[in-house]
Amino acid sequence: MSAEVKVLSASTRANVEALKHHMKKLGFKYYEKRDGWVTFGAHLMMNGEEVAPNDCISISVRFMYVHVDLWDFDSISKLPEVKQAILDFYEAEGITE
């Protein structure tokens, strides 16, 4: 059984890098890209043996879908700027819906 690997285009990789830079300025550290999602966490915590994001925002790089799990008021107050960064990313990708 072979696993299908989906490679992002050069322009999408550049747009993700720009998004990572913007999110870093807002205090969210890049966590990982998996299954078409990029995840940023305001704090990282130990989850068993793995490191997992706490106060996280996951963004689909293929479809316009965002998952937000924030508990910290400081992180919540940054949501308008996060929203704009995500909209800028999708606009650069040509996703308008």
PDB file of all heavy atoms in Angstrom, residues 18-30:
ATOM      1  N   ALA A  18       4.968  33.234   4.185  1.00  0.00           N
ATOM      2  CA  ALA A  18       4.517  34.588   4.532  1.00  0.00           C
ATOM      3  C   ALA A  18       3.523  34.533   5.689  1.00  0.00           C
ATOM      4  O   ALA A  18       3.583  35.359   6.606  1.00  0.00           O
ATOM      5  CB  ALA A  18       3.896  35.266   3.313  1.00  0.00           C
ATOM      6  N   LEU A  19       2.623  33.556   5.659  1.00  0.00           N
ATOM      7  CA  LEU A  19       1.653  33.380   6.746  1.00  0.00           C
ATOM      8  C   LEU A  19       2.374  33.036   8.050  1.00  0.00           C
ATOM      9  O   LEU A  19       2.055  33.582   9.106  1.00  0.00           O
ATOM     10  CB  LEU A  19       0.640  32.290   6.382  1.00  0.00           C
ATOM     11  CG  LEU A  19      -0.404  31.953   7.448  1.00  0.00           C
ATOM     12  CD1 LEU A  19      -1.274  33.175   7.771  1.00  0.00           C
ATOM     13  CD2 LEU A  19      -1.270  30.792   6.978  1.00  0.00           C
ATOM     14  N   LYS A  20       3.363  32.141   7.978  1.00  0.00           N
ATOM     15  CA  LYS A  20       4.137  31.781   9.169  1.00  0.00           C
ATOM     16  C   LYS A  20       4.817  33.007   9.762  1.00  0.00           C
ATOM     17  O   LYS A  20       4.817  33.196  10.979  1.00  0.00           O
ATOM     18  CB  LYS A  20       5.175  30.709   8.821  1.00  0.00           C
ATOM     19  CG  LYS A  20       4.575  29.335   8.614  1.00  0.00           C
ATOM     20  CD  LYS A  20       5.511  28.350   7.953  1.00  0.00           C
ATOM     21  CE  LYS A  20       6.773  28.055   8.671  1.00  0.00           C
ATOM     22  NZ  LYS A  20       7.557  26.980   8.019  1.00  0.00           N
ATOM     23  N   HIS A  21       5.376  33.866   8.909  1.00  0.00           N
ATOM     24  CA  HIS A  21       6.051  35.072   9.371  1.00  0.00           C
ATOM     25  C   HIS A  21       5.064  36.009  10.070  1.00  0.00           C
ATOM     26  O   HIS A  21       5.346  36.541  11.154  1.00  0.00           O
ATOM     27  CB  HIS A  21       6.725  35.778   8.194  1.00  0.00           C
ATOM     28  CG  HIS A  21       7.399  37.050   8.559  1.00  0.00           C
ATOM     29  ND1 HIS A  21       8.575  37.088   9.285  1.00  0.00           N
ATOM     30  CD2 HIS A  21       7.056  38.337   8.316  1.00  0.00           C
ATOM     31  CE1 HIS A  21       8.923  38.341   9.469  1.00  0.00           C
ATOM     32  NE2 HIS A  21       8.021  39.116   8.888  1.00  0.00           N
ATOM     33  N   HIS A  22       3.892  36.206   9.466  1.00  0.00           N
ATOM     34  CA  HIS A  22       2.881  37.080  10.044  1.00  0.00           C
ATOM     35  C   HIS A  22       2.384  36.526  11.380  1.00  0.00           C
ATOM     36  O   HIS A  22       2.236  37.270  12.355  1.00  0.00           O
ATOM     37  CB  HIS A  22       1.709  37.245   9.065  1.00  0.00           C
ATOM     38  CG  HIS A  22       0.841  38.422   9.381  1.00  0.00           C
ATOM     39  ND1 HIS A  22       0.524  39.372   8.456  1.00  0.00           N
ATOM     40  CD2 HIS A  22       0.225  38.796  10.517  1.00  0.00           C
ATOM     41  CE1 HIS A  22      -0.249  40.282   9.009  1.00  0.00           C
ATOM     42  NE2 HIS A  22      -0.449  39.953  10.269  1.00  0.00           N
ATOM     43  N   MET A  23       2.126  35.221  11.429  1.00  0.00           N
ATOM     44  CA  MET A  23       1.647  34.599  12.671  1.00  0.00           C
ATOM     45  C   MET A  23       2.704  34.696  13.767  1.00  0.00           C
ATOM     46  O   MET A  23       2.369  34.891  14.939  1.00  0.00           O
ATOM     47  CB  MET A  23       1.248  33.149  12.419  1.00  0.00           C
ATOM     48  CG  MET A  23       0.044  33.000  11.501  1.00  0.00           C
ATOM     49  SD  MET A  23      -1.488  33.643  12.201  1.00  0.00           S
ATOM     50  CE  MET A  23      -1.874  32.322  13.332  1.00  0.00           C
ATOM     51  N   LYS A  24       3.974  34.580  13.400  1.00  0.00           N
ATOM     52  CA  LYS A  24       5.050  34.701  14.385  1.00  0.00           C
ATOM     53  C   LYS A  24       5.041  36.100  14.999  1.00  0.00           C
ATOM     54  O   LYS A  24       5.235  36.247  16.208  1.00  0.00           O
ATOM     55  CB  LYS A  24       6.393  34.407  13.724  1.00  0.00           C
ATOM     56  CG  LYS A  24       7.558  34.440  14.688  1.00  0.00           C
ATOM     57  CD  LYS A  24       8.858  34.093  13.987  1.00  0.00           C
ATOM     58  CE  LYS A  24      10.014  34.144  14.977  1.00  0.00           C
ATOM     59  NZ  LYS A  24      11.281  33.813  14.324  1.00  0.00           N
ATOM     60  N   LYS A  25       4.808  37.128  14.165  1.00  0.00           N
ATOM     61  CA  LYS A  25       4.732  38.494  14.683  1.00  0.00           C
ATOM     62  C   LYS A  25       3.579  38.645  15.669  1.00  0.00           C
ATOM     63  O   LYS A  25       3.639  39.471  16.572  1.00  0.00           O
ATOM     64  CB  LYS A  25       4.583  39.498  13.540  1.00  0.00           C
ATOM     65  CG  LYS A  25       5.847  39.661  12.722  1.00  0.00           C
ATOM     66  CD  LYS A  25       5.838  40.828  11.754  1.00  0.00           C
ATOM     67  CE  LYS A  25       4.553  41.167  11.106  1.00  0.00           C
ATOM     68  NZ  LYS A  25       4.638  42.183  10.045  1.00  0.00           N
ATOM     69  N   LEU A  26       2.527  37.843  15.512  1.00  0.00           N
ATOM     70  CA  LEU A  26       1.373  37.896  16.412  1.00  0.00           C
ATOM     71  C   LEU A  26       1.562  37.020  17.655  1.00  0.00           C
ATOM     72  O   LEU A  26       0.699  36.983  18.523  1.00  0.00           O
ATOM     73  CB  LEU A  26       0.108  37.463  15.668  1.00  0.00           C
ATOM     74  CG  LEU A  26      -0.333  38.386  14.531  1.00  0.00           C
ATOM     75  CD1 LEU A  26      -1.507  37.772  13.782  1.00  0.00           C
ATOM     76  CD2 LEU A  26      -0.703  39.757  15.078  1.00  0.00           C
ATOM     77  N   GLY A  27       2.686  36.312  17.729  1.00  0.00           N
ATOM     78  CA  GLY A  27       2.978  35.508  18.913  1.00  0.00           C
ATOM     79  C   GLY A  27       2.609  34.046  18.796  1.00  0.00           C
ATOM     80  O   GLY A  27       2.611  33.319  19.798  1.00  0.00           O
ATOM     81  N   PHE A  28       2.285  33.572  17.589  1.00  0.00           N
ATOM     82  CA  PHE A  28       1.949  32.169  17.378  1.00  0.00           C
ATOM     83  C   PHE A  28       3.119  31.466  16.715  1.00  0.00           C
ATOM     84  O   PHE A  28       3.579  31.880  15.660  1.00  0.00           O
ATOM     85  CB  PHE A  28       0.698  32.037  16.495  1.00  0.00           C
ATOM     86  CG  PHE A  28      -0.545  32.532  17.167  1.00  0.00           C
ATOM     87  CD1 PHE A  28      -0.952  33.843  17.020  1.00  0.00           C
ATOM     88  CD2 PHE A  28      -1.304  31.688  17.958  1.00  0.00           C
ATOM     89  CE1 PHE A  28      -2.092  34.317  17.639  1.00  0.00           C
ATOM     90  CE2 PHE A  28      -2.459  32.149  18.583  1.00  0.00           C
ATOM     91  CZ  PHE A  28      -2.857  33.464  18.427  1.00  0.00           C
ATOM     92  N   LYS A  29       3.584  30.393  17.335  1.00  0.00           N
ATOM     93  CA  LYS A  29       4.695  29.628  16.783  1.00  0.00           C
ATOM     94  C   LYS A  29       4.153  28.589  15.807  1.00  0.00           C
ATOM     95  O   LYS A  29       3.118  27.977  16.045  1.00  0.00           O
ATOM     96  CB  LYS A  29       5.461  28.930  17.906  1.00  0.00           C
ATOM     97  CG  LYS A  29       6.094  29.894  18.869  1.00  0.00           C
ATOM     98  CD  LYS A  29       6.783  29.148  19.996  1.00  0.00           C
ATOM     99  CE  LYS A  29       7.407  30.148  20.929  1.00  0.00           C
ATOM    100  NZ  LYS A  29       6.866  30.114  22.262  1.00  0.00           N
ATOM    101  N   TYR A  30       4.880  28.391  14.736  1.00  0.00           N
ATOM    102  CA  TYR A  30       4.521  27.351  13.765  1.00  0.00           C
ATOM    103  C   TYR A  30       4.671  25.996  14.435  1.00  0.00           C
ATOM    104  O   TYR A  30       5.669  25.724  15.093  1.00  0.00           O
ATOM    105  CB  TYR A  30       5.445  27.464  12.553  1.00  0.00           C
ATOM    106  CG  TYR A  30       5.277  26.357  11.551  1.00  0.00           C
ATOM    107  CD1 TYR A  30       4.140  26.280  10.766  1.00  0.00           C
ATOM    108  CD2 TYR A  30       6.259  25.387  11.392  1.00  0.00           C
ATOM    109  CE1 TYR A  30       3.981  25.278   9.840  1.00  0.00           C
ATOM    110  CE2 TYR A  30       6.107  24.379  10.460  1.00  0.00           C
ATOM    111  CZ  TYR A  30       4.969  24.328   9.693  1.00  0.00           C
ATOM    112  OH  TYR A  30       4.823  23.319   8.783  1.00  0.00           O
TER     113      TYR A  30
END
